[in-house]
């Protein structure tokens, strides 16, 4: 059977591929340390679990409105007012089956064939694939290491054409952990406004910030930028609810209405129980969110120094999220490889450490390590990497 052309160009998720390979080795009895998956290693907070149980006990297990429960939209609106001082109406909010589904649905309603979406590199692996699935064209702009992997307004200007529909901004970033400052966002925003480019602001890691850094949404900076921005967010990372699959989009009511109509023909609605759990996540105590953030920051501060001490690895300290993104090109050369992908493969096979090659993020010279796992596992992983590099360097 011949498959549709739209799936012929898709690249499998690198992170899921590495995670699956690590699981395969683990199931075969190997002591594998997996640093690939992007999810907190904490359980969902207790009061959120209790809310889900209560919803089940009360029979709240039926269909909901396609765009999400009114009570959940209300909590999302309250959260945005509380955290970003942004005001939205229910008609400007859609609850989706995860932030990934919110992005997918957005591109489906936004893009026509050959419309262009500007994607800074390094990028989260699904951005280009989702654009291509909507018959759009990803246009890549390199966030250079010397600029902490962020693009500039002048770079943005250079790639805008008559077909440019949107710019994706991810701050804090997956995979680099870097954040855009207020001044940087203002400059990028000016360019977008001047060329009528929609800003897709992926803020899924907004609660995971370190060293006193502050999250700023580009939509906060002016009424004009608010109107030109669709915010994507959710509870997966902030509240350790990756499996619950609740995300949302907020912004222009016409776009949100179109997304809601499309969702009604694809998912019907996000899972009812998960929605009630998310109401509790936003309405209840945020203490557990801070506990997780502090744990990630502690791990970062310990592991960052140890990793940077390994010959051939160089890493800029991330400001948020829970990833390290070191340049490993020199390490690959030292080990006798032509590319970093081969180094990643060798580390998995010989030292049973699963990293994600930067090629999946549009940055061939890098690797991504998630520190969303125990400090003991992280320290063991770094020791194994150091041992491998010492072995191949001596050779």
């Amino acid at each position: 059977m011949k498959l549709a052309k739209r799936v012929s160009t898709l690249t499998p998720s690198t992170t899921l591929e590495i995670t699956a390979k690590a699981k395969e080795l683990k199931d075969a009895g190997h002591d594998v340390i997996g640093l690939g998956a992007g999810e907190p290693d904490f359980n969902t907070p207790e009061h959120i679990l209790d809310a889900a149980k209560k919803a089940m006990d009360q029979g709240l297990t039926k269909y909901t409105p396609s765009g999400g429960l009114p009570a959940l939209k209300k909590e999302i609106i309250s959260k945005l007012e509380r955290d970003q001082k942004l005001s939205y109406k229910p008609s400007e909010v859609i609850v989706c089956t995860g932030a990934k589904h919110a992005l997918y649905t957005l591109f489906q309603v936004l893009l026509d064939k050959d419309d262009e979406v500007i994607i800074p590199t390094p990028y989260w692996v699904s951005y280009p694939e989702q654009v291509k699935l909507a018959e759009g064209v990803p246009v890549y702009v390199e966030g250079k290491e010397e600029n902490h992997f962020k693009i500039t307004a002048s770079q943005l200007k250079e790639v805008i054409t008559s077909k440019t529909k949107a710019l994706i901004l991810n701050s804090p970033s997956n995979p680099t952990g870097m954040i855009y400052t207020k001044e940087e966002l203002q400059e990028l925003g000016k360019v977008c406004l001047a060329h009528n480019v929609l800003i897709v602001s992926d803020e899924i890691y907004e609660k995971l910030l370190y060293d006193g850094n502050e999250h700023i949404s580009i939509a906060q900076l002016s009424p004009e930028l608010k109107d030109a921005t669709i915010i994507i967010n959710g509870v997966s990372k902030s509240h350790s609810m990756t499996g619950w699959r609740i995300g949302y989009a907020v912004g222009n009511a016409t776009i949100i209405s179109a997304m809601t109509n499309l969702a009604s023909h694809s998912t019907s609605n996000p899972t009812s129980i998960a929605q009630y759990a998310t109401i509790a996540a936003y309405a209840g105590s945020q203490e557990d969110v801070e506990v997780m953030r502090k744990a990630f920051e502690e791990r970062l501060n310990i592991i960052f120094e140890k990793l940077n001490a390994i010959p051939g690895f160089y890493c800029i300290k991330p400001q948020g999220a829970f990833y390290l993104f070191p340049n490993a090109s020199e390490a690959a050369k030292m080990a006798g490889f032509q590319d970093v992908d081969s180094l990643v493969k060798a580390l998995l096979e010989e030292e049973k450490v699963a990293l994600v090659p930067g090629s999946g993020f549009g940055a061939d010279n890098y690797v991504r390590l998630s520190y969303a796992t125990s400090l003991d596992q992280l320290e063991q992983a770094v020791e194994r990497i150091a041992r491998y590099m010492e072995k191949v360097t001596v050779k």
Side-chain angles (χ1 to χ4, degrees):
M1 169 115 17
K2 186 178 180 182
L3 296 176
K5 289 181 181 178
R6 72 177 65 89
V7 298
S8 64
T9 61
L10 286 181
T11 304
S13 169
T14 312
T15 50
L16 294 181
E17 189 178 350
I18 290 291
T19 302
K21 178 64 177 173
K23 185 179 185 303
E24 184 182 314
L25 287 169
K26 207 166 190 175
D27 291 344
H30 296 284
D31 178 22
V32 178
I33 300 176
L35 303 182
E39 61 180 349
D41 56 316
F42 297 86
N43 194 15
T44 304
E46 196 68 31
H47 70 283
I48 300 173
L49 299 177
D50 290 341
K53 293 169 190 171
K54 183 178 178 182
M56 288 187 282
D57 290 340
Q58 293 180 343
L60 300 174
T61 56
K62 310 300 181 185
Y63 292 127
T64 75
S66 292
L69 289 165
L72 178 50
K73 287 190 177 187
K74 181 181 176 183
E75 290 302 333
I76 290 168
I77 290 168
S78 295
K79 175 253 180 277
L80 289 160
E81 288 177 342
R82 181 173 63 245
D83 291 351
Q84 275 84 39
K85 304 295 186 289
L86 287 167
S87 178
Y88 290 95
K89 302 172 185 175
S91 60
E92 296 172 312
V93 181
I94 178 175
V95 183
C96 297
T97 311
K100 182 183 283 189
H101 178 241
L103 284 161
Y104 176 85
T105 307
L106 172 62
F107 292 130
Q108 288 294 320
V109 305
L110 188 67
L111 303 179
D112 283 319
K113 185 174 173 57
D114 296 331
D115 280 344
E116 296 174 352
V117 177
I118 298 169
I119 304 176
T121 67
Y123 50 72
W124 177 53
V125 295
S126 291
Y127 293 146
E129 309 307 324
Q130 291 191 350
V131 169
K132 289 187 283 185
L133 279 169
E135 298 190 275
V137 178
V139 176
Y140 303 110
V141 180
E142 182 186 4
K144 297 183 184 297
E145 185 177 296
E146 55 265 33
N147 195 42
H148 287 199
F149 304 107
K150 294 178 285 186
I151 66 167
T152 64
S154 59
Q155 284 180 294
L156 178 59
K157 274 184 199 172
E158 288 176 8
V159 296
I160 291 177
T161 72
S162 59
K163 292 184 177 181
T164 303
K165 204 71 177 282
L167 162 70
I168 299 176
L169 282 179
N170 179 206
S171 177
S173 161
N174 173 10
T176 69
M178 297 303 162
I179 62 173
Y180 281 88
T181 66
K182 179 179 179 180
E183 293 72 26
E184 289 166 339
L185 291 172
Q186 284 174 327
E187 291 304 308
L188 292 171
K190 286 177 188 175
V191 176
C192 289
L193 291 175
H195 294 86
N196 195 30
V197 173
L198 182 74
I199 302 161
V200 181
S201 184
D202 183 349
E203 303 179 12
I204 195 73
Y205 292 97
E206 60 149 337
K207 292 297 181 182
L208 300 176
L209 293 168
Y210 315 116
D211 294 330
N213 281 295
E214 178 188 7
H215 168 72
I216 298 172
S217 171
I218 195 168
Q220 293 174 252
L221 301 183
S222 72
E224 293 78 17
L225 283 171
K226 177 175 177 280
D227 291 343
T229 300
I230 299 289
I231 294 175
I232 305 292
N233 209 331
V235 288
S236 289
K237 317 297 181 179
S238 59
H239 293 78
S240 195
M241 293 176 68
T242 51
W244 297 79
R245 308 313 304 134
I246 295 292
Y248 53 88
V250 297
N252 179 279
T254 301
I255 294 174
I256 297 300
S257 176
M259 291 175 67
T260 304
N261 289 338
L262 179 57
S264 73
H265 292 292
S266 56
T267 58
S268 291
N269 60 266
T271 303
S272 62
I273 302 155
Q275 290 189 70
Y276 286 106
T278 304
I279 290 171
Y282 278 150
S285 169
Q286 304 302 301
E287 185 179 340
D288 290 300
V289 175
E290 180 61 11
V291 168
M292 286 190 283
R293 190 203 67 78
K294 285 182 176 178
F296 291 139
E297 184 166 29
E298 179 188 9
R299 296 172 191 176
L300 167 62
N301 288 335
I302 293 171
I303 295 302
F304 171 73
E305 299 293 344
K306 291 178 181 288
L307 181 68
N308 251 354
I310 300 174
F313 285 81
Y314 169 71
C315 188
I316 299 172
K317 190 174 184 181
Q319 300 163 303
F322 41 60
Y323 308 107
L324 290 167
F325 199 62
N327 188 324
S329 57
E330 188 60 32
K333 289 177 187 174
M334 291 167 65
F337 297 119
Q338 293 186 334
D339 54 56
V340 171
D341 284 38
S342 299
L343 174 65
V344 170
K345 184 179 178 183
L347 285 169
L348 180 57
E349 291 176 349
E350 297 190 32
E351 293 292 343
K352 304 300 181 288
V353 176
L355 312 178
V356 186
S359 55
F361 305 96
D364 292 353
N365 290 332
Y366 299 82
V367 294
R368 193 190 77 173
L369 297 78
S370 169
Y371 51 91
T373 190
S374 73
L375 186 56
D376 178 61
Q377 288 275 284
L378 289 166
E379 290 183 319
Q380 283 189 53
V382 173
E383 285 173 10
R384 292 184 189 188
I385 296 169
R387 181 173 65 198
Y388 177 81
M389 290 307 302
E390 184 179 356
K391 181 173 61 179
V392 296
T393 303
V394 169
K395 182 179 70 178

